[in-house]
Amino acid sequence: MKRRRIADRGVRVLFSVNAVLAAAVLLGILIFLLAYGIRAFIPAGAVDPEDPSTQPLTLGGFLFGASWNPDAYGQPEYGIVPLLLGSLITTVLALLIAIPMGIAGAVFIAERLRGGVRVAVKMAVELFAGFPSVVIGFFGLLVLGPALARVFNVPSGLNVLNASVLLALMSLPTIISVSDDALRVVPHSYREAAYALGASPWTTAIRVILPAARSGILAAVMLGFGRAVGETMAVLMVAGNAPIIPRSLFDPVRTITTTIAIELGESAFNSIHFFALFALGFILFLIALFTNLIAEALIRREKRSFTL
Amino acid sequence: MPEKISARGLNVAVHGSPVLRDISLSVMANEILAIIGPAHSGKTTFLRCINRLIENQPGFVRTGELLLDNRDVRQWDIDTLRRRVGMIFATPIPLPGTIFDNVAYGPRLKGVRNMRRLAEIVEKSLRAAFLWDEVKDRLFSSALRLSGGQQQRLCIARTLAVEPEVVMMDEPCSGLDPISTAQIEQAMRELKQSYTFILVTNNVKQAARVSDRTAFFLSGELVELGPTAQIFTAPRDKRTDDYVSGRIG
């Protein structure tokens, strides 16, 4: 009896320590980003009035500045608008491609495929989710880029469109796989009820099964968004990386993640530039946090209207 | 009265093991036929053969005749067949969406888009299922917020909205309280004028209360079929007597 109680307590401690640890790591990263990022605005070292590269940034200039140019000779500029827009435009375009394809693919796998074929297709999709992004970047650089340049008759295929297509490819497996799981847990009785009313399998899938799996599919889309907005390597290889606000699908684009990857190595340690990159990381963190909160709220509202 | 559905020498096997053996029976138009019998006696399978839901089951083989209006169910277009023969399941299955959406589901499938027409059908169907007064003020709230008995009546309304000729009920009251059960039985008695009912039930007393004729299934065979009063007071087969008097089951 006593031994059981000790084991019981041991397991409880083990689980709580792990839960706390996971939360603590996340909180640690947040504090670290904030502590470093804030020094771009409130410098700890000396400010040389003669040297523009040591001038602290203003929050307004950082958030609303339309130009990112840390290496400018006279006055370096740290406006994140082009980067923020770069991240959002590529991600949104990627999702515009990936959501319809992903949901359609998931419906096909969940409703039409059976047995071994289904397992094989699902496994292939999940394998693709773990594909190294640098390899996908290669594909974009060597295959998709030249193809886009030729088809659309533009000088370079390294642009918004290329990056968005690659991001779509990379978020597709996540969207398909998670949506398929959500569709599969819809009780079989829903299908029979719809069939008994004279609905065809396809109508049932679209009118009954998809709405029933709504919250799971929303979660899949949010995960896809996370994958797309956080992706660095593939985008770095194919986006052209000019920190400008793109005017068309064929302009180069620079995202938040690629900026950090490109510039962290070449910025002087503990310089304003260095800290500004951490502030950029913090913004990325906020984007992820807010999309998750919105998704969470949507799912909760959904649950309230669809259960007791 | 004309024969609505008739089975002649119907055999069904799933993966080689027989589920229904040589069933021959007829369902007359505008009657309530009860099918009683212990679990695994093939009652539900019989219903699922009629609207061909059983065809989704792998390894199923059917021989013999099963006719709706003198035409084999396999020769009917499957969507038409299922619109003419509605089915209520043992557990109420509200589809995702509002009460209105649920009832309008079938008419919308048939292509009814006009909102006024839909509203008419929804009201008529909900009234027929004795649910209208309880839900008329919240037609656009989620169907899942209804109680179990209300959900089952919603499913009846949803089936009626398709305007079927035959309504099959598979133990429709097995999960319901006595009051909800009484409401559903009342609905059946009223609707008998315009529909044909097949009521599968484990509840022998329910069969006695509402049905015109009763069939007793045991291990996939039809043991006896007769007017309900006769089945319950003077059964010809000893097994029927044992079952309705509670000695087996």
Side-chain angles (χ1 to χ4, degrees):
Chain A
M1 201 62 211
K2 199 164 176 213
R3 248 184 42 209
R4 233 173 88 180
R5 214 172 331 158
I6 292 169
D8 205 44
R9 174 170 292 182
V11 169
R12 199 187 320 159
V13 167
L14 185 75
F15 279 108
S16 19
V17 163
N18 279 303
V20 170
L21 210 63
V25 168
L26 194 69
L27 199 67
I29 293 174
L30 179 62
I31 292 171
F32 162 80
L33 278 178
L34 199 58
Y36 270 67
I38 206 138
R39 287 168 69 187
F41 307 97
I42 310 160
V47 176
D48 179 356
E50 297 296 305
D51 184 358
S53 70
T54 63
Q55 298 298 319
L57 309 180
T58 61
L59 194 59
F62 179 71
L63 289 179
F64 305 113
S67 168
W68 177 270
N69 191 0
D71 300 322
Y73 200 67
Q75 181 64 50
E77 292 173 297
Y78 293 95
I80 64 166
V81 170
L83 313 181
L84 201 60
L85 279 178
S87 277
L88 292 181
I89 289 169
T90 48
T91 304
V92 167
L93 278 176
L95 289 183
L96 282 182
I97 303 169
I99 290 172
M101 279 179 74
I103 293 177
V107 168
F108 181 74
I109 294 175
E111 302 295 316
R112 288 332 268 150
L113 297 185
R114 291 281 166 268
V117 184
R118 191 205 144 83
V119 172
V121 171
K122 183 97 199 253
M123 232 157 77
V125 167
E126 275 164 8
L127 208 67
F128 196 66
F131 218 59
S133 57
V134 67
V135 179
I136 296 178
F138 255 129
F139 166 77
L141 195 63
L142 298 178
V143 181
L144 190 58
L148 287 178
R150 198 163 314 144
V151 170
F152 293 102
N153 198 21
V154 286
S156 164
L158 304 183
N159 51 30
V160 175
L161 186 60
N162 195 334
S164 303
V165 170
L166 288 201
L167 287 177
L169 276 181
M170 297 171 77
S171 46
L172 251 182
T174 313
I175 295 179
I176 291 179
S177 177
V178 178
S179 300
D180 171 61
D181 292 339
L183 291 169
R184 201 141 52 115
V185 298
V186 174
H188 192 68
S189 57
Y190 277 47
R191 296 181 176 89
E192 296 221 310
Y195 294 161
L197 290 171
S200 70
W202 281 118
T203 321
T204 306
I206 292 162
R207 301 274 293 274
V208 176
I209 308 301
L210 265 183
R214 261 208 287 223
S215 63
I217 287 172
L218 196 65
V221 168
M222 283 342 276
L223 280 173
F225 177 89
R227 177 86 213 256
V229 84
E231 173 53 36
T232 312
M233 188 43 89
V235 180
L236 179 73
M237 293 167 77
V238 303
N241 299 322
I244 56 165
I245 298 173
R247 307 229 166 268
S248 85
L249 285 177
F250 307 108
D251 280 350
V253 67
R254 174 93 83 86
T255 66
I256 296 178
T257 49
T258 51
T259 304
I260 298 174
I262 292 168
E263 296 180 7
L264 196 59
E266 58 189 44
S267 66
F269 187 63
N270 280 2
S271 67
I272 292 292
H273 186 191
F274 180 80
F275 292 128
L277 293 177
F278 281 90
L280 217 47
F282 186 72
I283 298 287
L284 199 60
F285 179 90
L286 286 185
I287 293 174
L289 184 72
F290 273 107
T291 48
N292 271 311
L293 286 178
I294 292 168
E296 195 76 26
L298 284 175
I299 289 168
R300 202 167 315 146
R301 205 183 60 180
E302 195 74 6
K303 277 196 180 135
R304 221 179 303 138
S305 60
F306 276 95
T307 53
L308 304 167
Chain B
M1 269 192 290
E3 282 183 7
K4 198 69 193 166
I5 288 171
S6 53
R8 285 175 208 151
L10 178 70
N11 283 286
V12 170
V14 176
H15 287 301
S17 54
V19 185
L20 287 176
R21 284 181 246 236
D22 196 25
I23 303 285
S24 295
L25 66 80
S26 299
V27 186
M28 303 299 169
N30 298 86
E31 76 164 340
I32 300 181
L33 175 78
I35 301 178
I36 59 171
H40 305 295
S41 50
K43 313 184 294 287
T44 300
T45 304
F46 182 66
L47 296 190
R48 292 164 63 86
C49 282
I50 296 174
N51 71 355
R52 289 167 62 189
L53 268 186
I54 193 147
E55 289 175 12
N56 294 328
Q57 195 161 333
F60 134 87
V61 180
R62 197 204 98 180
T63 58
E65 280 187 329
L66 184 57
L67 313 175
L68 169 70
D69 290 335
N70 289 318
R71 191 166 157 206
D72 200 288
V73 291
R74 284 189 206 166
Q75 273 148 23
W76 286 92
D77 167 63
I78 194 155
D79 297 342
T80 313
L81 174 74
R82 287 174 179 171
R83 278 171 205 155
R84 299 183 67 156
V85 184
M87 183 165 183
I88 316 285
F89 297 85
T91 41
I93 308 159
L95 297 172
T98 64
I99 293 169
F100 188 93
D101 288 339
N102 263 274
V103 184
Y105 187 87
R108 278 178 176 151
L109 274 182
K110 284 198 287 190
V112 181
R113 287 282 173 275
N114 182 311
M115 225 14 218
R116 268 201 25 218
R117 179 86 191 98
L118 280 176
E120 278 169 27
I121 296 174
V122 168
E123 177 173 349
K124 191 172 147 228
S125 310
L126 284 169
R127 279 188 193 282
F130 290 94
L131 188 59
W132 174 254
D133 289 333
E134 291 162 58
V135 299
K136 63 181 176 207
D137 301 321
R138 47 175 174 146
L139 289 176
F140 295 97
S141 68
S142 168
L144 287 158
R145 288 198 201 140
L146 298 173
S147 73
Q150 289 173 327
Q151 287 187 0
Q152 192 62 301
R153 277 178 286 150
L154 178 71
C155 292
I156 294 175
R158 188 174 66 200
T159 301
L160 297 182
V162 187
E163 295 175 326
E165 291 150 35
V166 182
V167 178
M168 308 190 294
M169 296 184 152
D170 186 6
E171 298 179 29
C173 303
S174 57
L176 301 184
D177 60 277
I179 294 173
S180 305
T181 303
Q183 282 165 329
I184 287 174
E185 288 174 5
Q186 188 198 351
M188 288 176 68
R189 276 188 288 259
E190 306 260 339
L191 293 169
K192 205 182 98 176
Q193 320 302 329
S194 15
Y195 302 90
T196 303
F197 279 98
I198 307 177
L199 170 69
V200 158
T201 181
N202 261 327
N203 182 342
V204 176
K205 294 201 177 87
Q206 180 172 53
R209 278 195 301 270
V210 297
S211 67
D212 301 310
R213 292 192 307 152
T214 298
F216 174 53
F217 276 40
L218 185 66
S219 309
E221 284 175 58
L222 173 65
V223 175
E224 190 167 352
L225 169 65
T228 299
Q230 178 245 310
I231 291 284
F232 281 91
T233 54
R236 288 198 197 93
D237 196 290
K238 179 159 186 322
R239 291 170 294 176
T240 315
D241 191 26
D242 287 346
Y243 184 73
V244 297
S245 58
R247 273 191 290 277
I248 59 164

